[in-house]
Amino acid sequence: MPNGETLTILQDLSLEIESGQILGILGVSGSGKSTLLALLAGLDIPTQGAVFWDNTNLNNLDEDGRAHLRLHKAGFVFQSFELLPAYTAYENVLLPLELLDEKSSRDATGTSITIEEKAIQCLREVGLEKRLHHYPNQLSGGEQQRVAIARAFALEPKVLFADEPTGNLDEKTGTHVIELLNNLNKMHKTTLICVTHDPALSRMCQKVLHLSGGQLSST
Ligand SMILES: Nc1ncnc2c1ncn2[C@@H]1O[C@H](COP(=O)(O)OP(=O)(O)OP(=O)(O)O)[C@@H](O)[C@H]1O
Ligand SMILES: [Mg+2]
């Protein structure tokens, strides 16, 4: 902390998430929801305690090891989008596909397609086929969020961490994104961990936990 004071955000917290589950996390602003997601995703390391993915303790991996695990298993939709400003919408989605170093991907029917086609298809799914070559600063907040969602979907992650994925969207686009999330879970058995204030998104969750006072409880 700037003044040297230590703040405890999460404490005595224990959580098990089953593969294929859709989990919702609710809580007031500042309760630590984004902090919890960052810990679960191995973006931050807890000062005490551990996070396991299958049998791997993230504490035992170095930054490269955690980055490798994230690239191959996790997808992210951040509250602040985290798009690369010097890359177009299309390039932002293509980049992680290139990092995977696989020359082809699959469409929704399982047909093999190039990673370039996959990037365009994912952007089409979120209604951005006319914005492929726009840079993030030429897109609205909701459009940037949809690029972030397309980027996360492109990798068909085993686990998708989503921080208020519908937070910046109008109702129609939000409903579409909820359908896309649901499809991802049904078709690819993707585990979804969603922080949300959106009643429509929480209705899709099989389990909803409330974060308050650093602890999680069932609602
Ligand atoms: N890098 C940081 N350094 C110091 N304190 C931080 C840092 N990041 C977050 N915090 C503090 O931790 C607490 C939890 O923040 P967090 O972002 O996890 O909340 P949140 O529940 O996601 O809130 P919101 O709904 O507004 O996104 C806040 O009180 C915040 O001020
Ligand atoms: Mg947050």
Side-chain angles (χ1 to χ4, degrees):
M1 293 297 295
N3 60 1
E5 201 185 308
T6 302
L7 264 183
T8 302
I9 306 299
L10 305 169
Q11 58 182 345
D12 298 330
L13 187 147
S14 169
L15 168 65
E16 195 162 327
I17 302 158
E18 284 175 32
S19 176
Q21 189 175 43
I22 308 182
L23 174 71
I25 299 172
L26 303 180
V28 298
S29 177
S31 58
K33 305 179 297 297
S34 297
T35 304
L36 177 59
L37 275 199
L39 292 171
L40 294 176
L43 291 165
D44 280 343
I45 291 294
T47 41
Q48 281 177 46
V51 175
F52 286 82
W53 284 25
D54 294 327
N55 295 318
T56 306
N57 182 346
L58 299 189
N59 287 354
N60 295 339
L61 300 175
D62 59 13
E63 182 45 49
D64 282 352
R66 291 198 303 275
H68 183 269
L69 204 69
R70 283 196 299 268
L71 179 65
H72 289 88
K73 292 200 172 176
F76 300 90
V77 179
F78 297 99
Q79 211 170 0
S80 49
F81 320 130
E82 307 289 346
L83 299 177
L84 297 169
Y87 291 83
T88 63
Y90 166 71
E91 290 164 345
N92 264 281
V93 179
L94 184 63
L95 194 70
L97 285 165
E98 287 177 338
L99 285 175
L100 267 189
D101 208 19
E102 288 168 12
K103 295 286 165 272
S104 65
S105 188
R106 286 169 300 144
D107 69 7
T109 64
T111 308
S112 183
I113 55 174
T114 65
I115 56 172
E116 289 79 10
E117 285 166 342
K118 179 75 177 179
I120 294 171
Q121 193 177 77
C122 289
L123 282 159
R124 193 182 300 126
E125 280 198 70
V126 294
L128 288 179
E129 63 275 19
K130 299 217 167 70
R131 297 285 185 279
L132 299 181
H133 306 297
H134 280 57
Y135 290 88
N137 68 1
Q138 298 171 324
L139 295 167
S140 74
E143 287 170 341
Q144 290 181 58
Q145 191 153 33
R146 284 187 274 159
V147 175
I149 289 165
R151 178 179 60 181
F153 280 17
L155 294 179
E156 294 176 7
K158 276 187 75 65
V159 188
L160 179 68
F161 297 94
D163 204 345
E164 305 202 23
T166 57
N168 283 299
L169 305 180
D170 59 77
E171 199 181 330
K172 183 160 167 273
T173 315
T175 305
H176 183 54
V177 163
I178 292 171
E179 276 168 20
L180 289 173
L181 287 168
N182 212 356
N183 284 349
L184 200 65
N185 172 263
K186 297 290 167 297
M187 288 172 55
H188 300 287
K189 310 265 179 296
T190 304
T191 309
L192 301 179
I193 305 169
C194 304
V195 166
T196 186
H197 292 287
D198 180 352
L201 181 54
S202 2
R203 274 196 295 278
M204 184 188 80
C205 297
Q206 293 148 351
K207 186 171 168 185
V208 176
L209 296 173
H210 197 97
L211 185 58
S212 173
Q215 302 194 319
L216 282 171
S217 58
S218 306
T219 43

